[in-house]
Amino acid sequence: MQKRLFLGSIALAVATLAAGGAVAQTNTFKVGLILPMTGPFASTGRQIEAAAKLYMAQNGDNVAGKKIELIIKDDTGTPDVTKRLAQEMIVNDKVNVLAGFGLTPLAFATAPLATQSKTPMVVMAAATSSITQASPYIVRTSFTLPQVTVGIADWAPKNGIKKVVSLVSDYGPGIDAERTFKDRFTFNGGTVVEAVRVPLRNPDFAPFLQKVRDAKPDAVFAFVPSGAGSALMKQFAERGLDKAGIKLIATGDVTDDDILNDMGEVAVGVVTSHHYSAAHKSALNQKFVDAFSKANKGLRPNFMAVGGYDGMRVIYEALKTTKGKGDGEALLGAMKGQVFESPRGPVFIDAQTRDIVQNVYIRKVEKVGGQLYNVEFETIKDVKDPGKTK
Ligand code: VNL
């Protein structure tokens, strides 16, 4: 095994893998799941891990004659760590598929490794539009910010909201949300009077919200990543924006099902657009929510969980279609074009863009049986990511 000599050198090891040495001929099929399990985005890791395990518990770990092995590693939400873990998984563990990717910078850090080693990379969370263009081996089962922003930018001006300040986390998905909202809302006759960006890490929303209050808009349009919505909501109330008659509209990342119930009265009535709500009415979703909750001490699944659950589905079905062949190119081909019913509704992996096409729902936070839920009241069918040029 000449390859062993190269293991010390990352570049050479990857070059060797690209030459076809990647997949060991064994009866195991390895999925390398890299997630933020600790740090500020740990809730995303916990949700996706729980969902992936649920999918396996429901569908078995034997697929097309292979035993599925899930290798879970914590990247703490740090791109350098994600990249190193992916490298180790490709070279040492010889994983057949890489999966996870809780945030945009983590997906971008790994994309070149997927390309070099020809390993399919299933992005279950990160949602900047351009991620799928970073490697032809990327397939996405989450969503994109432009995809879920158009809905609320159409809804708002029809519902008396004409003047908006946007407030987003200052990185890929936030900038996608800011741009998409402005373009669409302006096209619809509205005005974005100010575009505020807050740091991704440890944001102190107070000074920004003060600025917003002074601008006296009809509403704030917000995007912050999963987990950060509680702090935003709390500050929104503490700064008296709701009392000043300023509405909050957002993508569903803000009223994230994982934390929504703890937000309290201030969240009631907030309208958002998103691709998944735990309150989505379908038999499949009811089953998913019940099983997820039962397996995780009552935890409610959020949109991250659904991205993880569907990501496992895409991997399982690709393995079946290729009759147990772990070959990256064949798997990738079998991931493209999959059509299925997800707990979120009908979905489709567009073979051209490798991105997910799905319904986007307009929802309002309401109290249902004493609990806060994003109740869907309008459906925009089969939304493609509008952030792509082709
Ligand atoms: C991203 C987008 C992350 C949306 C999120 O939560 C989110 C990302 C951690 O692309 O980084 O809700």
Side-chain angles (χ1 to χ4, degrees):
M1 279 291 276
Q2 204 184 10
K3 202 167 65 195
R4 207 169 288 151
L5 299 171
F6 296 151
L7 285 181
S9 159
I10 283 169
L12 284 175
V14 170
T16 307
L17 293 174
V23 177
Q25 290 303 311
T26 62
N27 273 328
T28 49
F29 181 90
K30 294 182 183 173
V31 179
L33 186 58
I34 310 177
L35 296 168
M37 299 305 302
T38 55
F41 302 102
S43 67
T44 291
R46 181 190 52 185
Q47 286 272 349
I48 295 176
E49 177 187 24
K53 286 184 170 166
L54 176 64
Y55 189 87
M56 291 183 71
Q58 290 175 333
N59 295 278
D61 62 356
N62 237 300
V63 180
K66 298 269 170 162
K67 185 170 165 48
I68 310 283
E69 190 185 328
L70 190 63
I71 304 171
I72 303 175
K73 290 275 159 76
D74 175 15
D75 65 13
T76 73
T78 312
D80 287 349
V81 180
T82 320
K83 189 175 175 183
R84 176 174 54 75
L85 292 173
Q87 182 68 45
E88 289 169 6
M89 284 177 165
I90 294 166
V91 176
N92 301 342
D93 298 313
K94 301 186 170 45
V95 295
N96 299 87
V97 175
L98 289 166
F101 310 103
L103 293 119
T104 287
L106 314 179
F108 275 124
T110 310
L113 298 179
T115 306
Q116 286 159 27
S117 65
K118 301 188 192 297
T119 309
M121 172 172 160
V122 179
V123 174
M124 296 170 160
T128 298
S129 174
S130 59
I131 285 174
T132 43
Q133 286 156 348
S135 167
Y137 288 85
I138 291 178
V139 168
R140 175 157 42 196
T141 59
S142 52
F143 68 108
T144 79
L145 262 303
Q147 187 178 43
V148 299
T149 298
V150 166
I152 194 73
D154 283 344
W155 180 87
K158 284 189 244 154
N159 289 274
I161 295 170
K162 304 283 183 210
K163 187 176 153 188
V164 164
V165 172
S166 64
L167 187 156
V168 302
S169 293
D170 191 6
Y171 78 123
I175 291 159
D176 269 1
E178 178 191 280
R179 187 192 316 115
T180 308
F181 187 86
K182 182 170 190 215
D183 287 354
R184 190 76 172 205
F185 189 64
T186 307
F187 174 80
N188 287 330
T191 315
V192 175
V193 290
E194 207 171 333
V196 180
R197 295 180 185 175
V198 298
L200 172 63
R201 288 184 187 265
N202 306 313
D204 174 7
F205 295 110
F208 300 102
L209 288 171
Q210 192 57 49
K211 243 176 123 176
V212 171
R213 203 186 152 153
D214 297 342
K216 295 190 174 58
D218 298 323
V220 176
F221 163 73
F223 162 79
V224 292
S226 180
S230 313
L232 172 63
M233 203 66 86
K234 192 160 167 262
Q235 292 283 327
F236 190 84
E238 276 175 15
R239 294 277 128 186
L241 272 78
D242 53 341
K243 302 257 160 28
I246 299 170
K247 292 200 172 66
L248 181 65
I249 54 175
T251 62
D253 307 79
V254 173
T255 57
D256 177 358
D257 271 301
D258 195 43
I259 49 178
L260 176 61
N261 218 10
D262 296 326
M263 287 182 185
E265 288 302 317
V266 59
V268 174
V270 171
V271 176
T272 59
S273 54
H274 223 217
H275 57 293
Y276 180 68
S277 164
H280 177 68
K281 284 198 172 67
S282 74
L284 184 66
N285 185 50
Q286 193 59 57
K287 199 176 141 215
F288 171 69
V289 172
D290 290 347
F292 187 94
S293 164
K294 201 167 158 210
N296 297 283
K297 302 193 178 92
L299 185 67
R300 191 195 285 187
N302 69 359
F303 60 97
M304 293 301 185
V306 166
Y309 191 76
D310 291 344
M312 289 305 286
R313 193 270 181 203
V314 165
I315 295 167
Y316 266 51
E317 290 303 316
L319 187 56
K320 280 186 204 164
T321 307
T322 56
K323 305 204 170 13
K325 264 176 55 189
D327 167 61
E329 209 72 57
L331 283 170
L332 181 74
M335 289 178 180
K336 294 180 190 175
Q338 287 192 26
V339 182
F340 58 99
E341 191 194 352
S342 154
R344 66 186 104 176
V347 301
F348 166 49
I349 306 295
D350 187 330
Q352 236 94 64
T353 62
R354 290 164 280 103
D355 225 333
I356 191 161
V357 179
Q358 58 192 332
N359 292 348
V360 171
Y361 308 89
I362 314 291
R363 317 96 50 85
K364 184 188 251 173
V365 177
E366 288 174 18
K367 222 171 226 170
V368 182
Q371 307 231 351
L372 296 182
Y373 279 100
N374 293 294
V375 177
E376 296 169 349
F377 63 89
E378 218 177 281
T379 303
I380 311 155
K381 282 198 184 310
D382 304 329
V383 182
K384 265 192 173 198
D385 172 32
K388 294 211 191 15
T389 43
K390 57 168 185 186

